[in-house]
Amino acid sequence: MSRVLAVAPVLPGDAHPQEQIADVIAPLLAPAGPRRALARRLHAGSGVRTRHLALPLEQYAGLTGFADANAHFAREGTVLAERACARALAAAGVAPQDVDLVFFTSVTGVGAPSIDAGLVSRLGLRQDVRRIPSFGLGCAGGAAGLALLHDHLAGHPDRVALLLSVELCSLTFQRDDGSTANLVSSGLFGDGAAAVVVAGDAVPPPAGRPGPEVVGSRSRLYPGTAAHLGWDVRDTGFGIVLSPELPRLLRAHLAGDVKDLLAAHGLEPDDVGTWVVHAGGPKIVDAVRDALELPEAALVRTRATLAAQGNLSSSSVLHVLAATVADGDPPPGGWAVLMAFGPGVAAELVLLRGAAA
């Protein structure tokens, strides 16, 4: 057993209206004509009202390529990472030197050393803190990271772990690429970060209402779907691979995966009162709703997160988790399922239970 002590979502800068972003970005993607008009329609139909961006909007026209974008990722991502971790540790009442493990996930920039290494001195973490930087889990990284920390803490119940996600999706847009996938992603993804403090069950919870307990998890990789979601790595950076088949995959398989997770703990879907769903886009959220036969009320926080900030890749589900915990869910003894989907195609599911006060 492990327990979520605190969740800290952070966003860069001020929110930009979706129309303002389209005014600047659409001309960089396609010349005036049908493709640029399509970009604007896709932006308007993305379910996103506002997004936060790592750079001032006017600077995106001046990005010179992958090296330039990645340098911005390292600089701006480190600032967001430090903010998120400092807030999470303060909220959890955990001193930086008491952190034993840091799991860092991102799919929008690379570095060696990775961002988490720089945080050791910035935050005052111990020099012997264990670090696990991860690239490639994509939008599923936040859920997968939470599951992996739970597994680690099951064998080390007296330890504290820190999950960090940093995603600056705006820096990956491909200029002069009028493909439908690029047009969709340029209107859907935003920038943000999140940190989660997770502790083994031998660590006393902070004062106040304890966070949810992590009870179990399940990973599912759908064979033959590698070409449906991910990156096409180019000289210009990360080109999005985004198949329209994703909603169909979720409708076909997700219910069975959730039932398998729950059955291992003697539960059924009707026992779950709270759903923490990755804000992957309107069609993804609709597919989750349809596959699990959920009422729209179960997805209010997911859709609100999508509207306010777009899809934040691996950070997205952690922002939804933060909103869920802030609302007092799941209640003591109540069950929740957290889920996100990433390249593979893979589904990552985490079972949570509301802790007693």
Side-chain angles (χ1 to χ4, degrees), residues 135-202:
F135 179 91
L137 290 167
C139 295
L146 187 59
L148 290 167
L149 292 188
H150 169 67
D151 289 346
H152 173 80
L153 293 168
H156 304 282
D158 59 341
R159 294 185 183 178
V160 175
L162 183 61
L163 168 62
L164 170 64
S165 162
V166 176
E167 301 288 12
L168 304 187
C169 305
S170 69
L171 296 174
T172 68
F173 94 97
Q174 296 293 289
R175 190 165 181 167
D176 300 320
D177 177 357
S179 66
T180 301
N182 194 50
L183 301 184
V184 168
S185 66
S186 70
L188 177 63
F189 289 91
D191 296 344
V196 185
V197 181
V198 189
D201 57 12

Side-chain angles (χ1 to χ4, degrees), residues 43-139:
H43 281 220
S46 65
V48 179
R49 292 196 308 268
T50 59
R51 283 183 284 165
H52 295 250
L53 305 178
L55 303 179
L57 191 50
E58 63 273 10
Q59 287 190 19
Y60 285 89
L63 289 178
T64 59
F66 176 61
D68 186 23
N70 201 64
H72 285 297
F73 171 84
R75 183 182 63 252
E76 303 300 331
T78 297
V79 172
L80 280 182
E82 184 177 7
R83 280 175 52 200
C85 291
R87 289 182 184 181
L89 291 170
V94 171
Q97 59 268 26
D98 291 333
V99 174
D100 301 291
L101 174 70
V102 178
F103 182 94
F104 167 59
T105 186
S106 181
V107 76
T108 53
V110 296
S114 48
I115 282 176
D116 52 293
L119 295 180
V120 174
S121 59
R122 283 174 170 262
L123 293 172
L125 302 174
R126 298 197 316 268
Q127 291 186 347
D128 67 345
V129 67
R130 290 179 179 255
R131 298 183 299 108
I132 306 176
S134 168
F135 179 91
L137 290 167
C139 295

Side-chain angles (χ1 to χ4, degrees), residues 16-28:
H16 295 277
Q18 183 78 323
E19 297 82 359
Q20 183 185 35
I21 295 174
D23 288 343
V24 173
I25 298 300
L28 303 178

Side-chain angles (χ1 to χ4, degrees), residues 27 30 49 84 96 163 210 238 249 251:
R49 292 196 308 268
L163 168 62
F238 300 134
L249 278 170
R251 286 187 172 91

